[in-house]
Amino acid sequence: MKLIAIDLDGTLLSRTGVITKANQEAIRHRQEQGDIVTICSGRSIHDIEELLKRSDLVCPILSGNGAIGFYENERIYYHAMDQTVVDELWEIANADDAYVEFYTNAGVKVLRSGSDLLKRELDEVLPHDQSFTHEWAEREIEIQNEQFGLTYMDSMADIDFARDEVYKVFVYSFDRQKLHRLRKIYEPRNDILITTAGWTKIEIGHP
């Protein structure tokens, strides 16, 4: 028996955001051989579960950059972040007008104004940064909005920390300087762990 751990974005998923037929068949083939195929992704648990459901696949899941472990529909572990830490991370990002998502056991929570913020930022940044196209950035915004389990909030007060345990804070920006400033503030902290899946992202979880 082998343990095969696979990412989603850029690995199993097509450009349209689904697990391709060929990849579905490959996973089933390995499972039939007695191997354990585990999905390992920065995506939310709700998003991963929906992608597997649509592909009629059942796999163990490591979600939120390792913050959550699920096996046979049971939660093995869950590294929730302290409310005070989440509040501080939000205040820092909000002060720099950054787009933020909060991954919780009730889905991914994001401010209702989030997409407009990203579009406004794109218009401001693109004239000074020709390393990406407007079409690519528009698609990136669409991908954020296509996540399964998104819940839109009017304010941070809409998060009930006693119920909606936050396991990941996700910061997204097309502004390289903004992300650099935020990373320099976040990185010295020892009460968080920072990972990233690309130059537009800062992904923060429990250490």
Side-chain angles (χ1 to χ4, degrees):
M1 177 185 292
K2 295 180 180 178
L3 171 62
I4 303 170
I6 311 179
D7 189 19
L8 286 173
D9 293 280
T11 307
L12 290 183
L13 300 185
S14 68
R15 290 186 177 181
T16 57
V18 298
I19 301 175
T20 64
K21 293 292 184 182
N23 285 335
Q24 291 178 31
E25 292 171 3
I27 290 172
R28 292 191 185 96
H29 174 70
R30 297 314 312 174
Q31 290 175 329
E32 289 166 1
Q33 301 304 307
D35 296 332
I36 298 174
V37 180
T38 301
I39 303 301
C40 300
S41 174
R43 287 184 176 238
S44 74
I45 186 66
H46 298 81
D47 202 19
I48 298 172
E49 287 177 331
E50 180 64 18
L51 286 168
L52 291 176
K53 180 181 178 181
R54 292 178 182 180
S55 300
D56 196 27
L57 291 169
V58 178
C59 301
I61 298 171
L62 296 177
S63 168
N65 303 96
I68 303 177
F70 265 77
Y71 182 67
E72 294 184 346
N73 295 319
E74 291 188 13
R75 193 164 85 177
I76 303 171
Y77 67 85
Y78 190 108
H79 296 310
M81 302 173 69
D82 185 87
Q83 177 179 348
T84 302
V85 173
V86 175
D87 284 339
E88 290 172 355
L89 297 176
W90 159 247
E91 288 172 5
I92 293 167
N94 187 47
D96 216 337
D97 200 26
Y99 172 92
V100 182
E101 293 176 355
F102 303 91
Y103 288 46
T104 80
N105 59 8
V108 176
K109 297 182 179 289
V110 60
L111 288 178
R112 208 175 301 277
S113 58
S115 289
D116 289 338
L117 186 158
L118 283 178
K119 291 176 182 178
R120 184 173 67 252
E121 180 184 80
L122 176 60
D123 291 337
E124 294 171 354
V125 170
L126 201 55
H128 310 288
D129 187 346
Q130 302 298 315
S131 64
F132 62 95
T133 65
H134 193 277
E135 291 73 22
W136 174 84
E138 287 282 358
R139 179 55 188 150
E140 287 290 296
I141 295 173
E142 288 177 359
I143 289 172
Q144 294 308 123
N145 291 328
E146 288 171 358
Q147 298 177 82
F148 184 82
L150 276 180
T151 301
Y152 293 98
M153 314 180 296
D154 292 314
S155 73
M156 273 288 288
D158 292 343
I159 297 182
D160 181 348
F161 281 90
R163 179 195 63 202
D164 307 331
E165 300 168 296
V166 177
Y167 60 89
K168 176 177 168 179
V169 175
F170 176 85
V171 181
Y172 193 99
S173 178
F174 299 114
D175 187 333
R176 298 174 191 271
Q177 293 181 350
K178 179 185 294 186
L179 286 175
H180 181 69
R181 286 194 301 271
L182 292 173
R183 184 178 286 275
K184 284 192 71 174
I185 296 172
Y186 290 145
E187 282 183 338
R189 301 181 64 126
N190 58 16
D191 54 359
I192 60 174
L193 177 68
I194 298 177
T195 57
T196 183
W199 69 267
T200 54
K201 307 169 184 177
I202 300 176
E203 304 177 51
I204 309 170
H206 191 284

